[in-house]
Amino acid sequence: MENMEQEQYPKFTPSMRKTHTILIPSMLDIHMSLIEAILKQSGYNVEIMRNEGAQVVEEGLKYVHNDTCYPALLVIGQFIDNLNNRDRTDNVVLLITQTGGGCRASNYIHLLRKAIKKAGYGHIPVVSFNASNLEKDNGFKIDFSTILKVSAAVTYGDTLMYLYNKTRTYEVNKGDSKALVDKWIDMIVKQFAKKKGTKLRQIKRNVKKIARDFDSLNLDLSHKKPQVGIVGEIYVKYASLGNNHLEEFLVSQDAEVMVPGLFGFILYCFYNSIYDYKFYKTSKLSVLIFKFLISYVKRREKIMINAIKKTKFTPMQYFHHTKDLSNGVLSHGTKMGEGWLLTAEMMELVEIGYGNIVCAQPFGCLPNHICGKGVMKKIKSIHPDANIVAIDYDPSATKVNQENRIKLMLSIARESIKEDEEAKL
C-alpha cells in the first residue's frame, strides 16, 4: 500500500538536474551557504530559501494542522510562501530531510506533499534527503567528492560559527566579524571549485588561518558580558526563522552567544547506533561502521579545538567528554529527538562558563520537554549557579513574551556578574 501511495507523487528524475531549481529550507546560515555552493558545483540548481515574515506562519497554519510540531509548520509554510511568489513553478523541486528515527520529522515529507497538493502545487516533486535509505527512487544523488566537500564544509562552518559568536559582541568596528565570515566562505567555495580544501592537511591549514584571522580582530574585552548558550530542538536551535532571530536578539542585548556546532549533533547520531547495539542488540556490523565514522569526525573536531587553543578564545570541549556529562542525569538510551544530547550540551555549557542557557523548544515537542525542561532541576542541583530558561516556540507564542522572559534571564546574569566583581574588590 505504501509503495502504491508513493507512486502517485511526481518524482525528481536525473533529467531534471539541469532544468529544475531545488528549494531547500534555511538553517545554519554559514553552513548552508557553503553547502549551497557545493551542490551548484555538483551540477544542481539549488536555492536556499530565506523568505520570512508572518505570511510564512499563516501559510503553514493554512495547510498543516496546528497540532503538528512547529518546525514542520514553518518549513512547509516557507515552501508554500516561496512558491506563491514565483513566476513559474513547473521547474521547481522541493528538498526536505528525513531523520528516519522516532521523531515526527520523518513524516514531514508526507505532510509537505499533502500541503502542496492542497495549495495547487501537486505537480512539484519532493525529494527526501536522508541517510536511512528512505525513498530510494528519487533522482537526487551525490557522489563521493560532494560528500567530502560537505564534511569539510561542516568543519569550516562549525569553526566560523564558533569564532563569529565569540567575537561579534566585542568588536570595536561593527561588522568586522561578519566581513571575516563572508571572506572565508568565498575563499573556501573557490577552493572547493578547484578540488581543494577537503583533505585533512588542507582543512588543518585553513582552520589555523581562520582562527588567526579572528584572533587578530580589534576587540574590546575590558568588560565582562553575560555569556548565553543556546540549546534545543535542532531546527529551532539553528534556524533564525524558527527562533525569532534569537542570536541577533541576544547580541543586541550585549550578550555573548554560544551555539554548539553541528558536529555535536552528527556525533550524537553516530553514538546512538553504538548504544542501539548495547541496549537493544542491533547489528554488530553497524557498530564497526559508526566507530569508523566517529573516528573520522573526531579528527576534524581535534583540528578545530587545537587551532582555537592557540588563540585568546576558550575552545569547545571534545565530544567524547560532552557525552559523558549526561551520565547520572539522563541515560544514553534516551535518544528520541535530541535526547541525551540536549542534557549533555547544557552540562557542557555550564562547565565552560555559559551558565546562562536558553533552551529553545517547539511547544509540545515531547522529547525536548523531557530531555530539556525535565532535567533542569537535576542540572541546577549539580550546578546551583546555572541560570536556565525554557522558551517555547509556537504560532500562538508572542515574540514580546519570549523576549521578556529572556531579558529576565539576562538581568539575573548581569546581577551575578556585578556580585562577582564586587566580591573581587
Side-chain angles (χ1 to χ4, degrees):
M1 285 293 291
E2 185 179 347
N3 289 335
M4 289 174 65
E5 184 184 353
Q6 289 179 1
E7 284 300 320
Q8 65 184 319
Y9 294 109
K11 306 292 182 182
F12 176 70
T13 61
S15 62
M16 295 178 180
R17 188 167 177 161
K18 294 181 180 179
T19 59
H20 285 56
T21 297
I22 301 174
L23 300 182
I24 302 174
S26 58
M27 194 177 82
L28 283 163
D29 293 339
I30 295 171
H31 298 67
M32 295 305 289
S33 295
L34 292 168
I35 291 171
E36 182 178 25
I38 290 167
L39 292 174
K40 286 179 179 177
Q41 290 171 6
S42 299
Y44 291 103
N45 297 316
V46 296
E47 177 188 321
I48 305 297
M49 297 185 297
R50 294 179 173 87
N51 51 308
E52 296 188 7
Q55 70 279 2
V56 169
V57 178
E58 289 170 8
E59 293 297 338
L61 286 170
K62 191 185 298 182
Y63 296 106
V64 183
H65 196 282
N66 62 359
D67 281 346
T68 301
C69 70
Y70 190 47
L73 186 145
L74 280 182
V75 168
I76 293 170
Q78 190 178 39
F79 273 126
I80 294 175
D81 177 62
N82 186 290
L83 294 172
N84 288 343
N85 290 283
R86 301 184 81 87
D87 295 329
R88 292 179 57 193
T89 60
D90 59 339
N91 62 340
V92 175
V93 177
L94 312 184
L95 184 145
I96 192 167
T97 57
Q98 277 185 285
T99 59
C103 178
R104 286 180 290 179
S106 298
N107 297 314
Y108 287 4
I109 190 168
H110 306 296
L111 295 173
L112 175 58
R113 282 176 173 150
K114 289 180 180 179
I116 62 173
K117 191 173 182 180
K118 286 181 184 177
Y121 302 114
H123 60 281
I124 297 176
V126 178
V127 174
S128 167
F129 184 75
N130 65 83
S132 306
N133 286 323
L134 302 171
E135 302 214 356
K136 294 176 281 188
D137 60 342
N138 70 66
F140 184 80
K141 308 292 180 186
I142 55 176
D143 55 25
F144 186 67
S145 172
T146 303
I147 293 171
L148 287 179
K149 287 181 182 179
V150 170
S151 69
V154 176
T155 311
Y156 296 131
D158 276 9
T159 305
L160 288 168
M161 182 174 73
Y162 185 89
L163 292 170
Y164 177 49
N165 283 329
K166 292 292 286 184
T167 56
R168 61 172 163 165
T169 305
Y170 302 97
E171 57 189 9
V172 174
N173 303 309
K174 295 301 177 184
D176 279 359
S177 301
K178 182 64 168 64
L180 207 50
V181 169
D182 293 340
K183 167 196 160 184
W184 271 104
I185 288 175
D186 184 59
M187 289 175 63
I188 292 164
V189 168
K190 287 177 179 176
Q191 287 185 30
F192 285 162
K194 297 176 181 177
K195 298 184 178 180
K196 295 180 180 179
T198 59
K199 294 180 179 178
L200 207 60
R201 66 176 182 277
Q202 294 168 341
I203 293 172
K204 189 174 183 179
R205 184 167 60 247
N206 282 336
V207 169
K208 277 184 177 180
K209 289 179 179 178
I210 291 170
R212 282 201 297 265
D213 276 0
F214 277 92
D215 197 34
S216 64
L217 285 174
N218 188 8
L219 306 175
D220 180 5
L221 301 171
S222 58
H223 299 288
K224 185 173 176 59
K225 300 183 179 184
Q227 294 177 294
V228 183
I230 299 174
V231 298
E233 187 272 336
I234 186 169
Y235 181 81
V236 175
K237 177 170 72 170
Y238 288 136
S240 57
L241 174 62
N243 59 37
N244 287 329
H245 294 269
L246 176 59
E247 291 178 51
E248 285 73 16
F249 173 72
L250 288 168
V251 171
S252 75
Q253 298 298 304
D254 207 29
E256 178 191 328
V257 182
M258 167 64 70
V259 186
L262 186 58
F263 266 150
F265 183 81
I266 293 170
L267 284 168
Y268 159 74
C269 295
F270 290 168
Y271 272 108
N272 278 340
S273 295
I274 294 174
Y275 293 138
D276 280 347
Y277 176 75
K278 178 181 177 181
F279 294 119
Y280 311 117
K281 304 304 177 187
T282 55
S283 168
K284 195 167 185 178
L285 177 61
S286 67
V287 172
L288 298 175
I289 293 170
F290 283 104
K291 279 186 176 180
F292 168 78
L293 292 173
I294 289 168
S295 175
Y296 180 89
V297 174
K298 278 185 173 180
R299 287 197 292 271
R300 283 141 186 82
E301 180 191 48
K302 186 177 181 180
I303 288 171
M304 291 190 293
I305 292 174
N306 285 345
I308 295 169
K309 275 182 179 177
K310 294 176 182 176
T311 67
K312 66 173 74 73
F313 310 114
T314 304
M316 65 283 279
Q317 302 273 27
Y318 286 104
F319 189 79
H320 67 79
H321 172 73
T322 303
K323 73 176 178 63
D324 290 340
L325 290 175
S326 66
N327 290 336
V329 183
L330 194 70
S331 166
H332 286 147
T334 310
K335 63 185 189 71
M336 290 299 103
E338 281 59 48
W340 57 265
L341 175 68
L342 188 50
T343 301
E345 284 184 341
M346 285 195 283
M347 295 288 285
E348 178 194 15
L349 287 168
V350 175
E351 191 174 86
I352 62 176
Y354 294 83
N356 310 295
I357 299 171
V358 176
C359 184
Q361 51 197 21
F363 178 74
C365 180
L366 192 59
N368 278 268
H369 279 278
I370 293 170
C371 305
K373 193 181 288 185
V375 301
M376 288 179 188
K377 184 177 179 180
K378 178 66 176 179
I379 292 173
K380 288 179 180 178
S381 71
I382 300 170
H383 299 286
D385 294 333
N387 179 22
I388 310 172
V389 59
I391 304 295
D392 288 337
Y393 289 89
D394 186 72
S396 60
T398 64
K399 187 177 180 180
V400 172
N401 184 47
Q402 292 164 347
E403 291 182 350
N404 283 340
R405 295 191 64 207
I406 295 167
K407 284 179 180 178
L408 178 61
M409 182 269 290
L410 289 172
S411 68
I412 296 170
R414 292 191 184 97
E415 189 64 32
S416 179
I417 292 172
K418 184 179 178 182
E419 289 174 0
D420 289 344
E421 289 174 347
E422 289 175 352
K424 289 177 183 176
L425 290 172

